[in-house]
Amino acid sequence: MIKEIKAKKILSNLKHPDPWFGIKYNMNIYRGCQHGCIYCDSRSQCYQIDNFDMIHVKVNSVDLLKKEIPSKREKGTLGTGSMSDPYIPLEKEFKLTREALKVIDGYHFPVHMITKSDLVVRDKDILQDINRIYGAVSFTITTSDDNLAKKIEPGAPTSSSRYKAMKVLAEAGIYTGLTMMPILPFIEDDEKNIRCIVEKAAAHGAKYIIPSFGMTLRDRQKAHYYKQLDVLFPGMRKKYEMRYGNQYGCSVNNADELMGKFKELCSKYDIKTKMDKYEGDKSEQLSLF
Ligand code: SF4
């Protein structure tokens, strides 16, 4: 289900750049998401998206961006991908993310895109341009097992496609890495999975991996997740209920152990566990010397 709408505003300001992703201005061109990840936190009531499977396309996003960017006094990283993926299949047709990137490039703003789609490769040319200021692309990968990814992220391209896209961007000089989150308890929390992600990330040019060993569970999101577990992993819901009850933040049982192993592997492959953030224009910094 798709609905084209005109939004009132496209950028939301964060008081301070968020410490994980460095984002100062957040942008969501789509509302709802076709990737259909069973664990998606954006279904939570606090975000007030009553029907997350109905995709709202903000068709005036680019015009709004042209008005809103010049009014920003502080240059800060413009991020997208936290509430909906900027490269859902509909983007092939609407090309709104691509047009938005062109506007952002025109104003020399830094960008951090977070996606589960290899469609981002289409915009490599603009991202290379933006990267003269700062352009980061993070691929979210929670498992390297394509069969498992198809179960839990049914509408998204396979993890293999994401790794391949990462390599293309890395070879084009774009700052790229991984957000390894969530790691689903009892499903993805084994050392083999973490090892495989780090090794593949290293082989495909990742400069960083931002990890989170666990997930969130609340209201509508939790109800949806448990419903999907009943279909995809019969009996698993009981384990969650017994272990987490009404908890919101749900760390995997062996989080400390996995974090230790993860850091060891990242150090072996020279991958950072935090990303470098935008710290002013490279050209302006160079002109100081
Ligand atoms: S890609 Fe992100 S926003 Fe889209 S369904 Fe998956 S977790 Fe939610």
Side-chain angles (χ1 to χ4, degrees), residues 33-37 39-42 52 81-85 116:
C33 184
Q34 289 174 296
H35 287 166
C37 308
Y39 50 74
C40 182
D41 181 63
S42 303
F52 195 70
S82 59
M83 292 289 297
S84 177
D85 199 303
K116 285 192 176 99

Side-chain angles (χ1 to χ4, degrees), residues 191 195 256-266:
E191 191 184 317
R195 175 182 293 279
D256 291 346
E257 196 187 309
L258 284 182
M259 180 60 104
K261 200 71 217 166
F262 167 73
K263 285 189 170 167
E264 200 181 289
L265 284 162
C266 285

Side-chain angles (χ1 to χ4, degrees), residues 16-36:
H16 302 289
D18 91 86
W20 287 37
F21 310 112
I23 291 169
K24 168 80 180 132
Y25 305 106
N26 201 30
M27 172 179 79
N28 284 296
I29 285 174
Y30 301 98
R31 192 165 194 252
C33 184
Q34 289 174 296
H35 287 166

Side-chain angles (χ1 to χ4, degrees), residues 1-157:
M1 289 179 291
I2 301 160
K3 194 173 174 189
E4 295 185 18
I5 57 162
K6 289 208 169 176
K8 291 198 177 103
K9 207 169 174 280
I10 195 68
L11 293 180
S12 55
N13 295 10
L14 277 73
K15 209 169 177 188
H16 302 289
D18 91 86
W20 287 37
F21 310 112
I23 291 169
K24 168 80 180 132
Y25 305 106
N26 201 30
M27 172 179 79
N28 284 296
I29 285 174
Y30 301 98
R31 192 165 194 252
C33 184
Q34 289 174 296
H35 287 166
C37 308
I38 64 169
Y39 50 74
C40 182
D41 181 63
S42 303
R43 289 183 184 269
S44 303
Q45 271 160 17
C46 58
Y47 301 121
Q48 300 175 331
I49 305 177
D50 290 336
N51 182 359
F52 195 70
D53 300 310
M54 157 80 87
I55 314 299
H56 291 81
V57 181
K58 300 176 190 171
V59 287
N60 60 337
S61 305
V62 178
D63 290 337
L64 288 174
L65 206 52
K66 283 178 188 163
K67 278 190 208 144
E68 291 177 35
I69 293 188
S71 70
K72 302 296 172 204
R73 283 211 214 128
E74 190 186 335
K75 193 178 272 192
T77 303
L78 204 153
T80 184
S82 59
M83 292 289 297
S84 177
D85 199 303
Y87 290 104
I88 53 173
L90 275 176
E91 169 59 19
K92 279 184 208 154
E93 176 193 332
F94 282 92
K95 299 190 179 74
L96 290 168
T97 298
R98 181 170 176 83
E99 291 307 312
L101 283 175
K102 285 184 192 167
V103 175
I104 296 165
D105 188 22
Y107 286 101
H108 307 296
F109 261 60
V111 163
H112 180 192
M113 320 281 292
I114 303 172
T115 185
K116 285 192 176 99
S117 176
D118 54 350
L119 181 57
V120 61
V121 168
R122 180 198 65 187
D123 297 339
K124 186 179 78 172
D125 54 340
I126 312 174
L127 288 163
Q128 274 177 306
D129 243 34
I130 291 176
N131 198 38
R132 285 186 295 198
I133 305 296
Y134 175 94
V137 177
S138 297
F139 290 88
T140 301
I141 296 182
T142 72
T143 173
S144 294
D145 177 343
D146 284 347
N147 292 325
L148 179 57
K150 263 291 156 215
K151 274 178 150 183
I152 60 175
E153 299 151 357

Side-chain angles (χ1 to χ4, degrees), residues 188-252:
E188 298 180 316
D189 54 352
D190 56 289
E191 191 184 317
K192 188 174 160 223
N193 183 37
I194 304 306
R195 175 182 293 279
C196 197
I197 292 177
V198 178
E199 287 176 351
K200 290 212 172 197
H204 292 81
K207 296 280 187 295
Y208 58 88
I209 303 177
I210 307 170
S212 176
F213 292 98
M215 69 181 304
T216 58
L217 282 174
R218 61 183 162 188
D219 50 71
R220 290 202 287 232
Q221 171 226 8
K222 177 169 155 180
H224 179 79
Y225 183 62
Y226 279 3
K227 208 167 136 194
Q228 298 301 315
L229 284 187
D230 287 344
V231 177
L232 300 165
F233 305 93
M236 184 67 82
R237 172 205 282 250
K238 196 99 208 124
K239 282 172 110 169
Y240 273 75
E241 286 171 343
M242 285 174 68
R243 171 68 180 82
Y244 298 111
N246 286 324
Q247 254 175 261
Y248 167 57
C250 307
S251 293
V252 299

